[in-house]
Amino acid sequence: MIDFLKNRKVQIAAQAVVITGLVGGTGAVVTMNKPVTLDVNGQSEEVRTFGGTVGDVLDSRDLDIQKNDQIKPGVDKKISRDMTITVNTAKEISLSVDGKKSDETTHANTVGQALADLGVDAKNADLNTKPNQKLKDEGNDIDVTTAKDLTIVADGKDHKVSAAAETAKEALAETKLKLDKDDFMSVPLSSKVSDGQVLTLNRVKNDTVKEKEAIEPKTETKKSDSLFEGETKVEDEGKVGQKQVSYKVKTVNGEEVKKEKKGEKVLSKPEAKVVIEGTKKKEAPAEEPDDSDGSDAGTGDGSDSGSGGSDDGDKSTGGGSGGGDMSTQEIKDMLGGPGSKWYQVAECESQFNPRAVNKSNNAHFGLFQFKQATWEAMGGSGNPIDASPQEQFDRAKKLQAEAGWGQWACA
C-alpha cells in the first residue's frame, strides 16, 4: 500500500472476480480487464479495471475525492488501455512572502511547484523548507524571503546589495559597512525592504570645537562743560577683547545640525570706550520782534537779509572782529578776498565777525546776519554765532543759490 493512499484514507476493496457462465469465454474477460496507470499526488501504481470511465476507476479504489481536487482526464472520460489517470488533491498553504502573509490553495505536490503555481519568484530566495519537500493536504507553512537588488548610500559612495534580505538590517549585514553608536539609517532597521530600494546610512559625529570670538567693549560716558549740551566727543576708542568658546557640535554626513555652547575662557579683557557728553548750556537768542513790513531775511523771497539795512547805525556789534576758531585774515581769505562779493557782504554785515549780533534788534546773527528761522531753514541748528565761520559761509551760499543776492542789502 503506498503512502498517499494512507494519507487520503483510501480504502482498497478486494476485487473478487467471479467468472461464471461467460458466453465469450476467457478471451472476453481479458478484453474487459484493462491496465491503467493511476497517479495520485505524484505517486503512481498500475491497476487493472473492468470500469468504463475514469470515475469508475476512482470508485473502485475508494479514493476520497473532494470538490476542489484536480482530476485528469475528467471523471466521465472513457477508459482506454494503458491510460494514465492523474489526481492532484487540493492542499492548503499558509504562505509568507517577505513578511506578507496569505492563505493559499494549490494542486502542486512540492513546495517548489506550489511557489511557481502561485507566481512567487523563488530564484535565489531563502525558504524555510526545501523546494522538493512534499506537500500535505493541510498544515503547510512556507516562508519566502525573495532576492532583491538594493543600494545603500554611505560615506559618499553607493554600495550595491543583491541578496534575499527581508529587512534593512539584513540588507546592511550583506555589506562591510558598520553602524556606529550614533549612526542611523534612513529607515528603521526593522523596516521591510523592496527590490530597487535606496537606503542611506547617516554618519553622525559629536565633536567639541573651540573658537576665538571678540568681546566688544562697553561704553563709558563722562560729563563735561567743555562741550555744549547735545555735543559728544570720543575720548578713548577702547579696545576689543577676545575669548575662547567651547561648543559641542553635531554633524550628520558632514553637515552641522546642532551647535551647543559648553563654556568659555577670556583670553584678553576689553577696554571700555570713553565718550564725553557736553553739559554747557547755550545762550538762548533774544525774542525776535515782528517786522512791520512782514519781510523775513533769508527766506528766499528776495527781501532784505535782516542786516538792518545798510545804515551804519544798525551795523552788527558784539564780540569784536575776532574770527572764533579762525582768524579774521583766514575768514577774508575764505571769502575770496577784497574782489569777492562774499567779501563785500561779510564786511558790510558783520565786519568779518562770526559772533556779531545786530545791536538794533538782537535778531540777526553771525557773518551774514542770519535770522534764526532762516538759519534753521537752511539746515542749521542752534544759534548761528555758535557755528564755525565755514558752516556760516556754507549756509549763506545755500541761501544765495535758492533766493539770490537780494537777501543782503549790502550785496
Side-chain angles (χ1 to χ4, degrees):
M1 191 68 62
I2 59 180
D3 291 340
F4 76 88
L5 296 178
K6 295 178 182 179
N7 292 339
R8 297 289 293 176
K9 301 179 181 179
V10 176
Q11 300 176 0
I12 307 299
Q15 295 184 357
V17 180
V18 180
I19 305 175
T20 56
L22 294 178
V23 177
T26 301
V29 173
V30 172
T31 301
M32 296 175 63
N33 187 9
K34 305 179 185 71
V36 297
T37 299
L38 181 61
D39 185 313
V40 179
N41 290 332
Q43 298 189 53
S44 301
E45 68 169 336
E46 187 177 304
V47 299
R48 302 185 72 84
T49 180
F50 291 97
T53 65
V54 170
D56 293 337
V57 175
L58 298 179
D59 287 341
S60 70
R61 308 299 291 177
D62 277 346
L63 292 176
D64 186 15
I65 302 301
Q66 301 295 318
K67 181 179 179 181
N68 293 332
D69 293 343
Q70 184 185 72
I71 302 171
K72 295 181 179 180
V75 293
D76 295 330
K77 185 72 174 179
K78 290 185 178 182
I79 293 296
S80 61
R81 191 175 185 82
D82 296 325
M83 173 186 282
T84 297
I85 301 173
T86 303
V87 178
N88 289 314
T89 59
K91 304 165 188 71
E92 303 298 326
I93 296 175
S94 292
L95 179 65
S96 176
V97 180
D98 292 330
K100 186 177 181 180
K101 297 182 179 181
S102 63
D103 293 326
E104 307 289 348
T105 300
T106 182
H107 294 107
N109 296 316
T110 66
V111 170
Q113 292 172 353
L115 293 176
D117 288 348
L118 296 171
V120 178
D121 184 6
K123 184 179 180 181
N124 297 324
D126 282 345
L127 305 176
N128 66 331
T129 184
K130 294 181 179 180
N132 61 359
Q133 175 68 41
K134 293 286 186 180
L135 295 176
K136 300 176 288 185
D137 290 334
E138 55 186 21
N140 300 292
D141 294 323
I142 303 176
D143 292 335
V144 183
T145 301
T146 61
K148 304 171 188 69
D149 292 323
L150 306 100
T151 301
I152 298 179
V153 181
D155 307 318
K157 298 180 180 179
D158 290 348
H159 301 264
K160 300 296 183 180
V161 176
S162 182
E166 183 175 352
T167 64
K169 183 177 181 179
E170 293 175 1
L172 183 63
E174 295 292 330
T175 71
K176 295 181 180 181
L177 297 170
K178 299 298 181 182
L179 195 66
D180 293 336
K181 181 181 68 172
D182 296 321
D183 296 343
F184 64 96
M185 297 288 288
S186 54
V187 298
L189 290 175
S190 59
S191 297
K192 306 293 183 184
V193 293
S194 58
D195 190 53
Q197 188 171 357
V198 178
L199 308 175
T200 301
L201 172 54
N202 297 292
R203 297 295 192 188
V204 179
K205 289 186 177 181
N206 291 287
D207 297 321
T208 298
V209 299
K210 296 180 179 180
E211 298 178 0
K212 291 182 179 180
E213 299 180 4
I215 305 176
E216 295 299 328
K218 295 181 180 180
T219 299
E220 295 180 357
T221 302
K222 293 183 178 179
K223 304 292 185 180
S224 173
D225 59 4
S226 64
L227 299 174
F228 287 104
E229 289 180 338
E231 293 181 346
T232 61
K233 178 182 178 182
V234 177
E235 182 181 68
D236 190 339
E237 291 289 351
K239 183 180 179 181
V240 176
Q242 192 178 61
K243 60 184 177 180
Q244 181 175 274
V245 185
S246 298
Y247 293 97
K248 183 177 180 181
V249 179
K250 179 179 181 180
T251 60
V252 177
N253 297 328
E255 296 292 331
E256 183 179 303
V257 297
K258 185 178 181 181
K259 187 175 184 180
E260 181 181 0
K261 182 177 178 180
K262 304 301 292 183
E264 64 178 55
K265 177 182 178 182
V266 176
L267 302 178
S268 62
K269 294 182 178 180
E271 297 178 6
K273 179 179 181 180
V274 180
V275 177
I276 298 176
E277 289 186 354
T279 60
K280 183 178 180 180
K281 295 186 179 298
K282 296 180 181 180
E283 295 182 7
E287 184 176 345
E288 184 177 340
D290 293 336
D291 291 336
S292 59
D293 59 0
S295 63
D296 182 9
T299 60
D301 58 2
S303 62
D304 184 1
S305 67
S307 64
S310 60
D311 184 359
D312 291 343
D314 289 337
K315 285 292 186 288
S316 301
T317 62
S321 60
D325 54 359
M326 293 179 69
S327 68
T328 301
Q329 186 57 50
E330 288 174 330
I331 292 175
K332 291 179 179 180
D333 293 341
M334 177 184 71
L335 297 174
S340 166
K341 182 171 284 192
W342 286 113
Y343 183 99
Q344 298 172 13
V345 170
E347 181 181 29
C348 175
E349 296 288 348
S350 64
Q351 291 296 307
F352 307 110
N353 181 7
R355 304 288 182 253
V357 178
N358 189 288
K359 64 182 181 179
S360 65
N361 56 19
N362 291 323
H364 298 86
F365 308 95
L367 279 172
F368 303 98
Q369 292 293 282
F370 274 99
K371 282 188 176 181
Q372 188 67 35
T374 305
W375 172 257
E376 293 175 357
M378 293 299 103
S381 63
N383 194 310
I385 66 174
D386 294 325
S388 68
Q390 180 63 58
E391 182 182 352
Q392 293 183 45
F393 187 27
D394 289 342
R395 302 205 183 281
K397 288 188 287 185
K398 182 177 180 182
L399 175 60
Q400 189 277 330
E402 293 185 4
W405 291 105
Q407 298 297 311
W408 296 275
C410 297

